[in-house]
Amino acid sequence: MSIKFLAEDDRPREKFLLKGRNALSDAELLAIIIGSGNRDESAVDLCRRILKSVDNNWHNLSQLTIKDLMRFSGIGEAKAVSIAAALEIGRRRAAQEVADRKRIGSSAEAFQIFKPHLSDLQTEEVWAVFVNQSNKVLHLSKMTSGGITASMVDVRTLFKTALEHFATGIFLAHNHPSGNLRPSEDDRRITKQVSEAGKIMNIILIDHLILNQTSYFSFADEGLL
């Protein structure tokens, strides 16, 4: 069978098999996930419209809720969940690849580790990377969600985790869903609290990053540690 005999907008699966995954557009890949379109649009046309609504940006698409996706004609709950699940698989794959990095040598490298976990969230979460004396990654974990006030970040739990993994340094990070990277008073207070506690325990807070979808603020780079 030749690809020219295929109805291009209706057969992305066949195109995938005949031409390979790299030959498919973003809309065609998404069409494979949803399977079918609606009465007036093929699956590919529908997916083109969905992607156009988010500026053809996968990160923007991942921020849509199930209800947001269901506003498109032809996208029911099952298809919306399938789209969200596919995007989550991509996020986890990216996180695993970044986590293979052996050593953190800069705030930019720390950002690449935290980005898959924090950049697309609608609520605040706090994550930490625990490293040894050579800044080699020992452990990565989410510490809390919902904010970065002192009541939300349990410093005892943070250092308990550090001790469990024999860490000598910590990279702390949280996201600002608003996109504003300017540190708040709570951000500054918890940074100081963690830093001072670390000095007592000989576990250094190496950096604290604030992330949005595309960039970050580094307390260490700004001389605030």
Side-chain angles (χ1 to χ4, degrees):
M1 185 189 299
S2 170
I3 191 68
K4 68 181 180 181
F5 293 112
L6 300 178
E8 185 176 352
D9 280 359
D10 293 323
R11 304 200 177 214
R13 290 187 184 87
E14 287 83 351
K15 184 176 179 181
F16 186 105
L17 293 172
L18 285 170
K19 305 281 278 187
R21 60 188 178 185
N22 292 329
L24 272 67
S25 67
D26 287 353
E28 288 169 330
L29 288 171
L30 189 59
I32 291 176
I33 301 300
I34 69 170
S36 61
N38 56 41
R39 182 177 299 178
D40 300 315
E41 297 173 298
S42 69
V44 176
D45 282 335
L46 173 56
C47 290
R48 286 191 184 115
R49 187 159 59 89
I50 292 171
L51 288 168
K52 185 178 179 180
S53 74
V54 293
D55 297 322
N56 294 298
N57 186 294
W58 290 109
H59 289 294
N60 292 345
L61 182 62
S62 71
Q63 293 187 312
L64 297 186
T65 66
I66 298 300
K67 289 184 178 179
D68 290 335
L69 291 167
M70 289 174 63
R71 292 191 178 99
F72 292 92
S73 175
I75 302 295
E77 185 176 71
K79 289 182 180 179
V81 170
S82 294
I83 293 171
L87 292 167
E88 177 62 15
I89 289 170
R91 187 193 69 79
R92 294 188 187 189
R93 178 178 183 268
Q96 288 175 345
E97 289 176 346
V98 173
D100 287 339
R101 193 184 299 272
K102 299 299 182 182
R103 182 180 182 277
I104 303 177
S106 65
S107 61
E109 291 182 356
F111 172 64
Q112 291 302 320
I113 290 180
F114 288 121
K115 182 179 178 182
H117 301 280
L118 288 167
S119 64
D120 293 332
L121 299 180
Q122 297 297 313
T123 58
E124 284 193 19
E125 290 187 359
V126 181
W127 285 68
V129 168
F130 302 90
V131 299
N132 65 13
Q133 288 182 330
S134 300
N135 281 10
K136 290 185 177 180
V137 176
L138 300 172
H139 183 64
L140 165 69
S141 66
K142 179 172 75 172
M143 303 310 300
T144 189
S145 60
I148 193 170
T149 62
S151 61
M152 293 300 297
V153 180
D154 190 332
V155 176
R156 292 171 300 179
T157 300
L158 180 70
F159 284 99
K160 177 176 180 291
T161 305
L163 291 170
E164 287 172 349
H165 293 277
F166 302 98
T168 60
I170 299 172
F171 287 85
L172 195 65
H174 77 283
N175 62 310
H176 279 181
S178 67
N180 181 6
L181 292 175
R182 181 176 298 177
S184 67
E185 288 305 313
D186 279 330
D187 297 339
R188 295 175 183 272
R189 182 162 52 251
I190 195 63
T191 301
K192 183 177 180 181
Q193 185 178 351
V194 172
S195 179
E196 291 180 351
K199 291 174 183 177
I200 296 172
M201 302 185 69
N202 202 27
I203 300 174
I204 301 169
L205 177 62
I206 300 171
D207 203 351
H208 179 189
L209 273 60
I210 301 171
L211 283 71
N212 62 21
Q213 194 175 63
T214 59
S215 189
Y216 68 94
F217 174 94
S218 163
F219 275 77
D221 290 353
E222 297 298 325
L224 299 176
L225 277 177

